Amino acid sequence: MSDGTAHKQSFITKYIFSTDHKMIGIQFLWFGTFWLLWGGLQAMLIRWQLAYSGQPVPIIGKLLFGASDGIITPDIYNQIFTMHGTIMIFWAVTPLLSGAFANFVIPLQIGARDMAFPVLNMFSFWTFFLSGVILLASHFLPAGPAAAGWTSYPPLSTPVGGIAGHGQALWALSLTLMGIAVIMGAINYVTTVIRMRAPGMGYFQMPLTVWGIWLAAILNAVFVPIIAAGLIFLLLENVFGTQFFIAGSKATVEGGDPLLYQHVFWIFGHPEVYILILPIWGIVSDLLSVFSRKPAFGYRVTATCMCIITCLSAIVWGHHMYTTGMSPLLGKAFMFLTLLISIPSSVFFLNWLGTLWKGSLQLRAPMLFALSVVFVFGIGGLTGLYLATVTSDIYLHDSMFVVGHFHYTLAASVLMGSYAALYFWFPKMFGKMLNPLLGKIHFWGTFIPLNIVFYNMMVTGYAGQHRRLYDPYIYEFLQNLKPLNTQISWWAWLLGAAQVVLVVNLIWSLMKGKKAERNPWNAATIEWTVDYPIPHGNFAQMPTVYTGPHEYSNPAIQGRDWISQTEKLTAAS
Amino acid sequence: MMIALASWSMLFATALFGYTVLRVQATHWYSFGAGDRPFIQATANTLILLLSSVFYKMAVRAVGGSRPEDVNRYLWGTLACGAVFGAMQFWLWQTLAGEGIRLATSISASSIFAMTGLHAVHVLGAMAAVFWLALRTRRRIITTEEKTPLVLVGWFWHFLTIIWCVFYTVIFVIH
Ligand SMILES: [Cu+2]
């Protein structure tokens, strides 16, 4: 294996229990895509209820909710939005970023033969898979899956909270397993980046993609165990009837504390946001450089800003809990720290604009998605300021404004960034190009509805709509929001339909797509120096790194506008 | 392995954090006097786990020394201590249950069981790893170059001993 040559493998060791980081990455890709579609379908159902409250869901309604004649009942509604959030964050986006792209890209971009611990890597995927099976199984429980929201605050998420069934227990169990899988992956990524960089590749020669994924992995390794502890305690509540998180009249024994869970959840939960977005920042920084044919502006500053944000993200969790009656002094401290994050964020955001400034922009599919991240992340970031500020947050807390905001940062930015990455690395993963025309249709079909949907969600929230109301229109002051909500729903379904274009593109391109050249984007990073199919072991001859990751349009080079990281600047000129 | 230990530290630290918050807020908490049976059992267990760590240390020392076959012997010693620890832990839980302190009796009881249980599960995992090493070193003598797995599992073993000492202190010693 370490000689770098291809060797014979059986079907099982090659495609199922593979230890090859590329195959594991592809496994994560299909796994995450499955859950993305599943969670997406649930979003469509949520929008049905908010537009046509109490009416049977057409076509699929009878199939999904036979017992209620296709109507989404309040219980089912709670289950759907709980599962939508849980799935999208932990089973769709996490496997795509910290699974698929992390696995596929890290060793290739740093010039390593594989991950530091290939067997651990395999276990990581299959533990993740098992957790997915458990979560999927919880959908078929007689009382349905968990229904206490993706945050699963006690007491709602405990037996004394009143939600019947074992869905919550399976939720906690599957999430714990998922956490273990993520930690295994993170240990691998962190170690690989520290120990296995090719000769000549210092930290400041690493592509920003690797920076982003690496920092996210560090956050994973440190903060996922915290939520794991919380989940284990929650599991004990559900299975053995302990009452760590129960207080007040519901408690049969004294001394529990529901706020304890909230703290534990958000000490992890805020870094989780950065776990999801850091890889995207890295990927976008690199792609903007490739498709502007310019070096990334302020490369070192961008990397440093990402490090600063990684550290700051650990001490701001209180901004999710302003309304829990925390002391004003503590509230101000969390507000100050949170607003502090906007400084490094603004700096690298300006660096993105600096990269684009006077570049020769190539609006190919990955670039369109990367550019859209700049736009939607800008909006997501700015609307975050309202929620970071105590005074405005107290009004906006738990409203649709929050939903719109975090969909801009997580759904919009992370999803568009993942698509950028998919269109960019698909040629290296499968040796075929994704169809560019379908790519552009998919882009506009996603970008336009997405903005209309999430922007107007913030509008409804500002108008007072609570985020988890089953039927908002029982309140008189929300009745005039019905036309707007119906419009949001139609745009949301259009957004969902646009994803069919992606699925068609994936299938069509895999079967009949144009064969990809070795370096279709003329990119400088190392993964583009090897031919598809990349053998187990990646490199016939181990690469040596001579230049930074963004050597584009260097005037010292004649005849082309890029050189690979493995080429000497003098030799190429 | 350093990173893995950092992860595990966060797991146990969170449990400890939760324990502290709950204990500080509670109006009533179980504490044990020097003559109480749970205290004596837990103290004995602490000594056993410390002994197991000493055995492990000697196993690592023996690699490449004059009596390399001792590596295996000390590993079995560690394992035996681990097994006794597990059995004692089970006995301790029985004792507590006999006094009417069960998992769901009260917050304080739940905390004791959850913390010691979380630790015990990890000890079982570590014992599996030591068992694997003991089998590997049974017939053949390992050289200094081959001792990496031995050293890494050792870190985890000592880590669990330290965690136990902390848990022992906060649960059984502090009044
Ligand atoms: Cu936050």
Side-chain angles (χ1 to χ4, degrees), chain A residues 266 269-271 273-274 313 316-320 338:
Chain A
W266 287 116
H270 188 83
V273 174
Y274 291 93
S313 76
V316 297
W317 79 90
H319 61 221
H320 298 270
T338 306

Side-chain angles (χ1 to χ4, degrees), chain B:
Chain B
M1 194 66 199
M2 291 296 276
I3 303 151
L5 284 185
S7 280
W8 267 307
S9 308
M10 294 306 280
L11 176 78
F12 287 112
T14 309
L16 193 65
F17 165 75
Y19 176 87
T20 315
V21 170
L22 291 170
R23 181 159 184 175
V24 167
Q25 289 180 349
T27 45
H28 152 262
W29 203 264
Y30 292 116
S31 57
F32 303 94
D36 293 346
R37 251 176 75 190
F39 176 79
I40 296 168
Q41 285 166 332
T43 310
N45 243 351
T46 311
L47 297 175
I48 289 164
L49 216 50
L50 285 172
L51 184 66
S52 79
S53 268
V54 172
F55 277 142
Y56 203 103
K57 190 83 208 153
M58 286 158 82
V60 177
R61 280 252 179 94
V63 178
S66 53
R67 296 178 57 192
E69 67 280 3
D70 279 359
V71 175
N72 189 251
R73 225 167 275 155
Y74 284 127
L75 281 180
W76 288 114
T78 308
L79 216 48
C81 288
V84 173
F85 176 83
M88 287 278 287
Q89 205 64 338
F90 192 72
W91 192 29
L92 170 67
W93 292 331
Q94 291 288 321
T95 312
L96 289 171
E99 293 178 12
I101 305 174
R102 290 195 179 80
L103 182 57
T105 319
S106 69
I107 299 297
S108 125
S110 303
S111 305
I112 296 172
F113 278 97
M115 305 259 290
T116 53
L118 190 64
H119 179 262
V121 169
H122 282 87
V123 172
L124 278 182
M127 279 173 65
V130 178
F131 184 63
W132 169 71
L133 284 172
L135 289 183
R136 265 185 42 156
T137 51
R138 204 152 68 116
R139 296 249 176 272
R140 47 185 287 274
I141 282 156
I142 57 166
T143 61
T144 323
E145 288 80 51
E146 295 171 314
K147 75 172 185 179
T148 313
L150 185 70
V151 173
L152 293 182
V153 171
W155 286 2
F156 186 49
W157 191 271
H158 299 315
F159 170 77
L160 288 177
T161 305
I162 295 166
I163 293 290
W164 173 256
C165 291
V166 176
F167 280 14
Y168 165 74
T169 313
V170 297
I171 296 174
F172 295 99
V173 178
I174 294 176
H175 281 3

Side-chain angles (χ1 to χ4, degrees), chain A residues 239-312:
Chain A
V239 178
F240 296 106
T242 58
Q243 297 194 350
F244 294 111
F245 304 132
I246 307 300
S249 57
K250 291 266 189 193
T252 52
V253 295
E254 54 169 342
D257 186 358
L259 274 185
L260 181 62
Y261 177 88
Q262 292 194 21
H263 278 292
V264 169
F265 186 90
W266 287 116
I267 290 175
F268 152 81
H270 188 83
E272 170 69 13
V273 174
Y274 291 93
I275 289 166
L276 300 179
I277 198 80
L278 273 164
I280 296 298
W281 288 345
I283 290 167
V284 168
S285 306
D286 279 344
L287 294 199
L288 291 181
S289 167
V290 174
F291 293 101
S292 314
R293 313 309 298 164
K294 271 181 67 192
F297 184 84
Y299 164 80
R300 278 166 185 262
V301 178
T302 304
T304 312
C305 283
M306 280 159 64
C307 295
I308 296 172
I309 295 171
T310 303
C311 298
L312 280 177

